Amino acid sequence: MTTELQAIYTNQKSFYGKARVEHLENGNKALYSYSTKVCELDNNNNIIDIGYYSATTSRHINDFLQQNGLAK
């Protein structure tokens, strides 16, 4: 299942469909910014994979992490 990432911890109103969260069968969550996988959390919210990206993608990652209980 894939859902749009909502802009909660940013001053933006929306990410305008450019950030999506894929809920994987194994319980993990993967964040896609535009069409690139940029972060993945396991089912205990441990970071499995994360990279360094543009300012916009970094805002997507920061909001995704904060929404999952991880510090900014």
Side-chain angles (χ1 to χ4, degrees):
M1 175 176 77
T2 302
T3 58
E4 185 176 334
L5 180 68
Q6 301 300 310
I8 296 174
Y9 297 100
T10 182
N11 57 1
Q12 293 180 254
K13 289 184 180 184
S14 170
F15 291 131
Y16 303 101
K18 294 176 175 63
R20 299 180 342 274
V21 178
E22 182 177 0
H23 301 270
L24 306 173
E25 289 182 20
N26 62 2
N28 291 1
K29 293 177 242 173
L31 173 67
Y32 287 82
S33 179
Y34 297 90
S35 61
T36 303
K37 181 178 166 183
V38 295
C39 185
E40 185 173 343
L41 300 177
D42 70 12
N43 56 3
N44 292 316
N45 287 340
N46 295 311
I47 297 171
I48 294 174
D49 186 29
I50 192 168
Y52 296 97
Y53 298 95
S54 69
T56 301
T57 297
S58 294
R59 281 193 290 275
H60 298 163
I61 292 170
N62 287 337
D63 215 283
F64 175 68
L65 293 176
Q66 285 185 286
Q67 288 182 34
N68 285 282
L70 300 169
K72 184 174 179 183

